[in-house]
Amino acid sequence: MNTLAEENYLKSIYHLSVNATSVSTNQLAALLNTKASSVTDMLKKLAEKELINYTPYQGVSLTAAGEKIAVNIIRKHRLWEYFLVEKLDFKWDQVHEMAEELEHISSNELIDRLDKFMEYPKFDPHGDPIPDCNGLFKIHNLKPVSSIGINEGGVICGVRDHSKAYLQYLEKQSLTIGKKVTVAEIIEFDHSMVLHTEDNTIQISREVANNLLIAL
Amino acid sequence: MNTLAEENYLKSIYHLSVNATSVSTNQLAALLNTKASSVTDMLKKLAEKELINYTPYQGVSLTAAGEKIAVNIIRKHRLWEYFLVEKLDFKWDQVHEMAEELEHISSNELIDRLDKFMEYPKFDPHGDPIPDCNGLFKIHNLKPVSSIGINEGGVICGVRDHSKAYLQYLEKQSLTIGKKVTVAEIIEFDHSMVLHTEDNTIQISREVANNLLIAL
DNA sequence: AATGAAATTTAGACTTGTCTAAATATATTA
DNA sequence: TAATATATTTAGACAAGTCTAAATTTCATT
C-alpha cells in the first residue's frame, strides 16, 4: 500500500482542493507543517505513482486513483472519530489527534465492520459527512451563521474551524451539533451577533459566527 | 515517544524472554524477519535509551523501563484483539495482523477507555492474559494436552501456536476456548490422542496436543 | 589448548522523508 | 517591459532503519 507520509499528502491535497481546482506547493507545506522543498520531492513521487496530476510550478490535483485513496482515509478518520465520541465517551475536541493515527490502520474490512457496528453513521461528531464504503457522501448545503439576517436561524450542523480552542468554546456555550439557533440582534459596530437558543441567549463574535455552520 | 521499530523490538525481546533470562541477536532477527546486523544496530540504540541491558556478544534483557513499554504494547494488542472478536465479530484467526497495527496507536487514554467499554476483559481471544492499566496480569498455570494421561482432562484455556492454520484447524474441530475435554485414548504408535468433549469425539496429533493448553 | 564452526559485530551502502541554501521560474508593479 | 518580489525547484546533506560483505568473538570438539 502507500506510506503514512504519502497518505497524509493525499489527504491534504484533497482537503485543499475543496476550495480550488489546483493546490500550490506552499499551501501544502503550510498545512503539513513542512518545507516547500520537501513537498516538491513528495509530489514527484506521487506523480510517478499516478496519484496526482503535477506540472512543475503549476500546482497539483488528485487523479481519480488519488482521490479514492484520500476519500478512504477521510472515511476512516471520521468513522473513528464517531466511535471515540459515541462509544468511548470522548468530547468532540479530544478526538482529532487519535483519529489522525487510526485513519492509517490499513484494513478495509475492519473499517467496514466498525461502520456496521455503529449502524452506518452519516456524519462525524463535527458534522462532517462520512463517506460510505464506496466513497459516496452527501454534501449538506450549510451557511455560516454570519451570513444570515435578523430573525433568521436554523440548526447547527457543522463547523469550519476544527481547533480545540474553538470546539471547547462552543461546547461551553452549548452551541453544539443539533442545537436550533435564531439571530436576535446584530451589533453594527463589530458585527457580533446575539443568538437565541431554546434555553438561552448568547452573544458571539463575527469570528465565531463565521465558523459556525447551520442548515436553514 | 518511541518509534514503531523500537516498539516492535521491545515487544519481541519481551516475548523471547519468557523462556530465558537473555535473548540472542539471531533469535530476534528470526522473530522480526530481519538480519542480525540490523538487530545489532537497534540494540545499540535501545541500550543508549536504557530500555535494554546489552553487552556485545552476550545477548539482551529488558530494563524495568523497557519491560513497562513492552507490557503496554501487549496490553494494547490483546485489548484490540478482544474488541475485534467480541464487538466486530471477527474470528480468532483473523485478528493478529490488525492488532499488530492497532497496538501502536499511542494514546493510553484511548486504550483505558476501550478497556472500560469492554468491561475489563482478563483474557484475549486466544486465552492470553490482558495486562491491566498498571501492567499487572495473572499467569494461568496451563498444561499442554499432550502432558496429561488417560481419563484426565480440563478446560481449553489457551494455545501455544498462534498461526492462522492452527487456529482455523481448532475452530473446525470445535476445540475452542472454554471447551471441556477429556483424554479417552493415547495411540502408542504416534502419540496421537482421542479426546472426548461434551458433544464429540476427536482425534488429534501429538503436534496439535502439544500446542493446546488446558486448565485442570 | 588449538581449530573450525557458528554467532555477532563492524564497515559501508541504500531508501525514505526531511532539511538548508542556492538557483530558477512566475507574478507584480512601477 | 524591466525590475523586484514571491513561489517553486534543485542540489546536497542528514537521520532512521535496513542491507551485504567482511571482520571479530565465542562456542564446540577434539
Side-chain angles (χ1 to χ4, degrees):
Chain A
M1 247 303 189
N2 305 288
T3 67
L4 194 145
E6 285 169 354
E7 291 192 348
N8 282 332
Y9 273 86
L10 292 173
K11 184 181 58 160
S12 294
I13 295 167
Y14 182 90
H15 283 311
L16 292 170
S17 295
V18 171
N19 309 305
T21 46
S22 157
V23 174
S24 78
T25 302
N26 269 1
Q27 278 180 294
L28 276 168
L31 186 57
L32 286 161
N33 232 309
T34 184
K35 298 300 152 91
S37 57
S38 307
V39 173
T40 301
D41 288 344
M42 183 58 91
L43 294 184
K44 286 182 192 164
K45 197 171 19 159
L46 293 173
E48 187 62 40
K49 289 188 164 193
E50 301 194 31
L51 299 173
I52 61 173
N53 305 113
Y54 172 56
T55 323
Y57 297 102
Q58 304 305 310
V60 288
S61 60
L62 294 172
T63 62
E67 182 167 326
K68 196 174 161 189
I69 294 169
V71 170
N72 192 228
I73 295 164
I74 289 162
R75 164 170 161 79
K76 289 177 180 175
H77 184 103
R78 294 181 180 168
L79 280 171
W80 280 116
E81 283 201 343
Y82 188 93
F83 174 76
L84 293 172
V85 168
E86 296 300 323
K87 300 293 182 183
L88 300 193
D89 280 332
F90 281 102
K91 301 284 186 198
W92 71 342
D93 60 288
Q94 299 179 299
V95 296
H96 184 72
E97 293 79 4
M98 288 179 266
E100 288 282 298
E101 291 183 53
L102 288 161
E103 72 189 6
H104 301 289
I105 300 297
S106 59
S107 171
N108 281 324
E109 186 170 5
L110 167 50
I111 210 67
D112 290 347
R113 286 190 185 224
L114 186 69
D115 197 7
K116 182 181 180 189
F117 177 64
M118 302 188 297
E119 300 177 51
Y120 306 105
K122 291 281 164 284
F123 298 95
D124 80 8
H126 310 107
D128 296 309
I130 301 175
D132 70 17
C133 64
N134 300 307
L136 302 175
F137 58 94
K138 284 243 178 68
I139 300 169
H140 258 194
N141 192 17
L142 303 181
K143 287 182 142 187
V145 171
S146 58
S147 72
I148 62 174
I150 300 245
N151 290 327
E152 297 184 332
V155 178
I156 298 177
C157 287
V159 291
R160 268 181 180 162
D161 181 342
H162 290 67
S163 72
K164 205 166 280 200
Y166 185 62
L167 296 175
Q168 281 174 357
Y169 171 78
L170 290 184
E171 175 98 30
K172 213 171 61 187
Q173 305 294 319
S174 285
L175 293 172
T176 50
I177 302 288
K179 272 275 162 84
K180 200 162 174 280
V181 297
T182 311
V183 175
E185 195 185 341
I186 301 175
I187 313 296
E188 222 183 294
F189 170 64
D190 63 355
H191 300 94
S192 63
M193 287 175 138
V194 178
L195 304 181
H196 282 339
T197 70
E198 275 107 86
D199 36 44
N200 226 334
T201 297
I202 301 156
Q203 180 161 344
I204 61 174
S205 70
R206 180 170 182 72
E207 179 78 358
V208 167
N210 227 332
N211 287 294
L212 192 58
L213 301 173
I214 58 170
L216 299 181
Chain B
M1 247 302 189
N2 306 287
T3 67
L4 194 146
E6 285 170 355
E7 290 192 348
N8 283 332
Y9 272 87
L10 292 174
K11 185 181 56 160
S12 295
I13 295 167
Y14 183 89
H15 283 313
L16 292 171
S17 296
V18 171
N19 309 305
T21 46
S22 156
V23 174
S24 77
T25 301
N26 269 1
Q27 280 180 293
L28 277 168
L31 186 57
L32 286 161
N33 232 309
T34 185
K35 299 299 151 96
S37 56
S38 308
V39 173
T40 301
D41 289 344
M42 182 58 92
L43 294 184
K44 285 183 193 164
K45 200 176 8 165
L46 293 173
E48 187 62 40
K49 289 189 164 193
E50 301 193 31
L51 298 174
I52 61 171
N53 306 114
Y54 172 56
T55 324
Y57 298 101
Q58 304 306 309
V60 289
S61 60
L62 294 172
T63 62
E67 182 167 327
K68 196 174 161 189
I69 294 169
V71 169
N72 191 228
I73 295 165
I74 288 162
R75 164 172 163 79
K76 290 177 181 175
H77 184 103
R78 293 180 181 168
L79 280 171
W80 281 115
E81 284 201 342
Y82 187 93
F83 173 75
L84 294 172
V85 168
E86 295 300 322
K87 301 293 182 181
L88 301 193
D89 281 332
F90 281 102
K91 301 283 186 199
W92 71 342
D93 60 287
Q94 298 179 301
V95 295
H96 184 74
E97 292 79 3
M98 286 179 267
E100 288 283 298
E101 290 183 53
L102 287 161
E103 72 190 5
H104 300 290
I105 299 297
S106 59
S107 171
N108 281 325
E109 185 169 3
L110 166 51
I111 209 68
D112 291 346
R113 286 190 185 224
L114 186 70
D115 197 8
K116 182 181 180 189
F117 176 64
M118 302 187 299
E119 299 177 53
Y120 307 105
K122 293 280 165 285
F123 298 95
D124 80 8
H126 311 108
D128 295 309
I130 300 175
D132 69 18
C133 64
N134 299 308
L136 302 175
F137 58 95
K138 284 244 178 68
I139 301 169
H140 257 195
N141 192 17
L142 303 180
K143 288 182 142 187
V145 170
S146 57
S147 72
I148 63 175
I150 299 245
N151 291 327
E152 296 184 329
V155 177
I156 297 177
C157 288
V159 291
R160 267 183 181 162
D161 181 342
H162 289 66
S163 71
K164 206 166 281 202
Y166 184 63
L167 296 174
Q168 281 174 357
Y169 171 78
L170 290 184
E171 175 97 30
K172 213 170 63 187
Q173 305 294 321
S174 285
L175 292 171
T176 50
I177 303 288
K179 272 275 161 85
K180 198 160 176 284
V181 298
T182 310
V183 175
E185 194 185 342
I186 302 175
I187 313 295
E188 221 182 296
F189 170 64
D190 63 354
H191 300 95
S192 63
M193 289 176 138
V194 177
L195 303 181
H196 282 338
T197 71
E198 274 105 88
D199 37 44
N200 226 334
T201 297
I202 302 157
Q203 180 161 345
I204 60 174
S205 70
R206 180 169 182 72
E207 179 78 358
V208 167
N210 226 332
N211 287 292
L212 192 58
L213 302 173
I214 58 171
L216 299 180

